[in-house]
Amino acid sequence: MRRIPGLLAIAVLAAIPLLPVPPFWITLINNIGLASLVAIGLVLLTGVGGLTSFGQAAFCGFGAYTTAVLTTAYGFSPWATLPFSLLVGAAAALPLGLITVRLSGHYLPLGTIAWGIALYYLFGQIEMLGRFDGISGIPPIELAGHRFISGQSIFYLIWAFVIATALGARNLLDSRVGRGIRALRGGRRAAEAFGVDIVRAKLTVFIFAAVVAALSGWLYAHMQRTVNPTPFGLNMGIEYLLMAVIGGAGHVWGAVFGAAIVLILKEILQRILPGLLGATGNFEMILFGMLLVAMLQFAREGLWPLLLRLAPTRSRVQVAASQGALPGRRDAVPAQGPLIRVEKVRKAFGGLVAVNDLSFDVKAGEIVGLIGPNGAGKSTTFDLITGMLALTGGRVAFGGRKEGRRSPGAIARLGVARTFQHAKILPDMTVLENVALGANLRGSAGVVRSLLRLDRKEETLLLAEAERQLERVGLAEHRNRPAGDLALGQIRILEIARALALDPTVLLLDEPAAGLRHGEKQALSALLSRLRSEGMAVLLVEHDMSFVMGLVNRVVVMDFGTLIAEGTPAEVRRHPAVIAAYLGGVA
Ligand code: ADP
Ligand code: MG
C-alpha cells in the first residue's frame, strides 16, 4: 500500500516525455533532476548531519570537468569517465572535508563559502580547463547504440540516477552507519559513548554529498555538451542549499521537491522581475537569499514535512524474529580483579578541582553507589571513566589492564556503557532506533553495505537486540514512537536500555531514578539487582537515598571532588564526615 504514491509518481514522470509537452518543460525537469542529486546529498549533509555547505556546486564542477577533459582531450567514452568523475569528487572532498568538518559553529559554513569561491576561480584560471570559456565539444552519453542527445532521451537517464540515489540515501540513513550520521545533529556525545566515530561519520556524509554532486556534474556535462565555471560557483551553491532546506531535514524525497520549487520559482522570477524592476540582472538571487534566511528562521524543518503530514502515516518497521546472534562484549574485559579501578583520578577546570585524586574500584557482581552533594564531582567522574573528558591526573584501569588515555569509543569497546544525568537521546529517532544505537559496536556494516541494503541480516539482529532490551526494561510498547515523545522517566529508562544494548560488563548510571515514580523505581531496583546477579558491575550515582541504600553493596561518598568516606551503606550512614557534609544537610 505504502508504495503506491511512489509508483504513481514514477509513472507520471515516465509519461511526461511521451506527451506533447514543450521541450522547454523537459529541459526544466531535467535540470530539476540534476539539482535533485546535489540536494539529496545536502539533505544528508546539512539536513541530517547539521553540516551546512554553501560550496556544493564546486563538487559538480569536479565531476563535470573530469569527464570534459577525459572525453575531449583523451578520447575516453562518457561511461568510462563516470568512475573517474565520482572518484575525483570524492578525492576533492576528502581533504576539504577533513578541514571543514573540524570547524564548528559558524566557521563551518564560512569555510564552505571560502572554498566554494576559491574553487570557482580555480576552474576559471586553469588553462587545461579552458579558463572562463570552459570546454566544449563534449560527446553525448551512449547506451546500446542510443545517443542521449535530446532532452527527452536523457530525461530517463537523469531520473534513473535520481531515483537510485534517493533510494541509496534512504538505505544509508536507515542503517547502523545512518544512526551515527543522524546523531551528528544534537546527539554526538551519546553516539560517541557507544563507539560512533564522529569525525568518520561527518566525513562519510561529506563524501557522499560530494560524490552525488559529482554525478550530477557528470550528467550535466554530457547533457549540456559544454562546461564553464559559472554553474559551479557560489550562486548555485546557495540555490542548492535552499533546495535542501525547503526539502527539510532528513527527508530524501524532499530534496526533489525542494529542487522543483526553487527551479520553477527561478524560471518565473527571471521572467517577471526584470520587467517589474525595469532592469536586467539575477534579481532572483536576492529573493533566494532572503528566502533561505526566512526558511532557516521560521521553517527549519522545511516544507516537505508539511506536505507529508497530509499523507496517511505509514506503518513503522516491524522487527522480524531474529535468527543468529550478535557478538557480545561480555568477554571484552578479563574477569580477574576489579572491572574498574579508579586511581588518584584528578580533573581540574581551570582553578576548580572538580575531582581531587579520587580512588575506588568496582568489581564484577557488585553495585557501588557514588553519592555526594550537587557539584561534588560525580558526573565529572563518569566523564573521566568513560573517556569523555581528559584526565588531569591519575588513571583508570579496566579489568586490570594498564593503559593510558582512550577514546570514549575504545572504552565502550571494553564493555563500558553509561547513561547521562542530562538525558542524551535523539528525539526524532524512534525509541527502538535510539536503543539500537547502543548496539552500534556489535555490528560492522559499513557505508557500501548500507547503501546497497546488504546489511539487512545484521540490521535485523541489531533491531531485535534493541527490542529485547526494551522488553527487559518495560518500554517495548513505545518502540515505534519518536523518543522525544516519552516522559522524562521513560527517557531515563530508555537510556538504560540503550546502555544494555552494548552488552556491557560495566554499567554507569547517572541519576537513573530522578523523575521516576515509585513503581518505576522499584522495577529499576529489581532490574539492577538482576544485572548484578548476572555478574555485571554497576556504578550508580543517585540522590534518592532509600533507593541507593537498599540496593548497593558499597557506597563511595564524595564532597568537593574528594572521597570522604567509603564502605557498606550501614558504615557510611554512621560516618561523621558524611553526616556533616551530606546527610547532615538533609537531616
Ligand atoms: P555532580 O555530578 O556531583 O553534581 P559535577 O561533576 O557535575 O558534579 O560537577 C563538579 C564541579 O565541576 C561543579 O562545580 C561544576 O560546576 C564543575 N564543572 C563540571 N563540568 C565543568 C566544565 N565542563 N567546566 C567547568 N566546570 C565544570
Ligand atoms: Mg551530576
Side-chain angles (χ1 to χ4, degrees):
M1 277 300 277
R2 41 176 280 215
R3 289 180 191 274
I4 287 177
L7 291 175
L8 210 65
I10 290 175
V12 170
L13 195 67
I16 291 174
L18 306 175
L19 302 173
V21 291
F24 159 77
W25 279 37
I26 302 287
T27 306
L28 181 62
I29 299 173
N30 283 344
N31 285 333
I32 291 172
L34 292 178
S36 297
L37 289 170
V38 189
I40 289 169
L42 270 176
V43 161
L44 263 61
L45 184 66
T46 304
V48 179
L51 309 171
T52 305
S53 170
F54 287 92
Q56 228 49 25
F59 294 113
C60 303
F62 282 110
Y65 275 113
T66 302
T67 191
V69 170
L70 289 178
T71 51
T72 58
Y74 298 95
F76 275 70
S77 78
W79 285 112
T81 66
L82 178 57
F84 290 102
S85 282
L86 303 186
L87 261 171
V88 169
L94 189 63
L96 284 176
L98 276 172
I99 301 166
T100 308
V101 303
R102 286 189 154 78
L103 300 175
S104 59
H106 296 304
Y107 293 108
L108 189 139
L110 285 178
T112 67
I113 291 175
W115 53 253
I117 294 176
L119 289 171
Y120 166 76
Y121 283 106
L122 186 71
F123 292 140
Q125 292 302 329
I126 296 178
E127 184 65 54
M128 191 175 72
L129 304 183
R131 297 184 183 268
F132 282 100
D133 295 331
I135 299 173
S136 51
I138 302 169
I141 299 167
E142 283 182 47
L143 192 64
H146 177 79
R147 288 156 66 86
F148 293 91
I149 295 181
S150 70
Q152 272 92 341
S153 64
I154 202 168
F155 179 98
Y156 291 107
L157 193 63
I158 289 174
W159 283 95
F161 274 114
V162 172
I163 291 168
T165 301
L167 293 177
R170 281 185 57 158
N171 292 346
L172 185 61
L173 286 182
D174 177 30
S175 73
R176 172 179 171 274
V177 178
R179 279 188 290 274
I181 293 171
R182 286 152 78 193
L184 288 177
R185 217 173 52 155
R188 287 186 197 174
R189 276 174 48 93
E192 253 184 315
F194 293 97
V196 173
D197 183 336
I198 297 295
V199 171
R200 193 187 173 131
K202 286 183 183 174
L203 269 183
T204 302
V205 264
F206 197 83
I207 292 174
F208 175 84
V211 167
V212 295
L215 170 64
S216 172
W218 178 82
L219 281 163
Y220 172 84
H222 294 291
M223 181 180 88
Q224 219 59 24
R225 313 276 301 277
T226 166
V227 293
N228 67 60
T230 310
F232 311 129
L234 202 58
N235 280 7
M236 277 311 290
I238 294 172
E239 278 181 32
Y240 289 136
L241 191 58
L242 182 60
M243 293 169 193
V245 169
I246 288 177
H251 295 276
V252 170
W253 293 112
V256 181
F257 172 74
I261 296 265
V262 170
L263 289 184
I264 293 170
L265 197 63
K266 186 176 170 181
E267 273 310 321
I268 297 170
L269 291 175
Q270 277 179 342
R271 273 170 208 215
I272 60 167
L273 282 184
L276 280 180
L277 300 169
T280 54
N282 290 345
F283 299 118
E284 77 281 356
M285 280 313 295
I286 301 169
L287 243 111
F288 282 173
M290 280 156 43
L291 196 58
L292 184 59
V293 172
M295 289 289 305
L296 291 174
Q297 280 292 326
F298 304 111
R300 285 204 144 231
E301 295 302 305
L303 300 181
W304 180 251
L306 299 178
L307 269 185
L308 277 189
R309 233 175 271 164
L310 303 175
T313 51
R314 338 179 127 175
S315 59
R316 301 267 193 159
V317 232
Q318 296 295 315
V319 178
S322 63
Q323 275 158 5
L326 284 175
R329 305 253 142 223
R330 290 292 171 99
D331 328 315
V333 179
Q336 82 265 27
L339 285 182
I340 317 177
R341 167 157 282 168
V342 174
E343 277 179 40
K344 289 201 178 298
V345 157
R346 185 176 186 85
K347 181 70 194 178
F349 294 110
L352 175 86
V353 181
V355 178
N356 189 359
D357 296 341
L358 183 69
S359 303
F360 66 89
D361 45 48
V362 188
K363 298 179 198 64
E366 181 178 55
I367 302 179
V368 172
L370 180 61
I371 66 171
N374 269 329
K378 306 178 296 291
S379 296
T380 305
T381 303
F382 269 31
D383 286 345
L384 293 171
I385 293 174
T386 53
M388 307 212 97
L389 281 176
L391 294 161
T392 306
R395 61 194 196 103
V396 181
F398 297 95
R401 295 178 201 195
K402 292 181 186 172
E403 282 158 70
R405 164 135 172 84
R406 294 193 187 91
S407 67
I411 289 168
R413 225 168 245 120
L414 295 173
V416 180
R418 69 172 293 178
T419 67
F420 294 87
Q421 179 181 351
H422 303 288
K424 296 194 192 314
I425 51 146
L426 291 143
D428 299 329
M429 290 213 284
T430 64
V431 168
L432 186 71
E433 287 173 314
N434 267 277
V435 177
L437 183 68
N440 174 60
L441 284 172
R442 300 171 72 184
S444 61
V447 179
V448 177
R449 269 167 74 191
S450 305
L451 272 173
L452 300 176
R453 230 171 172 68
L454 299 174
D455 61 342
R456 287 301 104 179
K457 189 158 178 250
E458 178 186 287
E459 184 65 10
T460 309
L461 289 175
L462 289 175
L463 292 178
E465 171 67 9
E467 171 100 26
R468 206 169 68 82
Q469 299 304 343
L470 280 175
E471 269 161 18
R472 196 176 191 183
V473 302
L475 276 183
E477 61 183 302
H478 301 295
R479 63 180 192 185
N480 290 332
R481 291 172 64 189
D485 286 2
L486 296 186
L488 188 65
Q490 291 173 317
I491 287 176
R492 296 201 167 277
I493 303 288
L494 166 60
E495 283 215 342
I496 296 173
R498 179 173 67 188
L500 291 175
L502 180 99
D503 193 23
T505 42
V506 176
L507 189 59
L508 303 164
L509 304 175
D510 201 346
E511 305 195 14
L516 295 198
R517 288 192 294 264
H518 183 66
E520 292 170 326
K521 282 187 188 178
Q522 283 181 323
L524 176 60
S525 181
L527 173 68
L528 295 183
S529 300
R530 209 158 62 237
L531 293 173
R532 164 170 56 193
S533 65
E534 290 169 14
M536 203 177 285
V538 181
L539 182 62
L540 175 71
V541 168
E542 186 48 61
H543 283 300
D544 181 336
M545 279 308 124
S546 59
F547 181 85
V548 174
M549 297 302 189
L551 181 63
V552 302
N553 302 77
R554 283 187 301 125
V555 190
V556 172
V557 191
M558 290 177 82
D559 196 13
F560 295 112
T562 311
L563 185 145
I564 57 170
E566 185 179 3
T568 63
E571 287 164 357
V572 164
R573 266 203 204 95
R574 289 193 301 266
H575 202 290
V578 176
I579 294 166
Y582 188 73
L583 299 174
V586 176

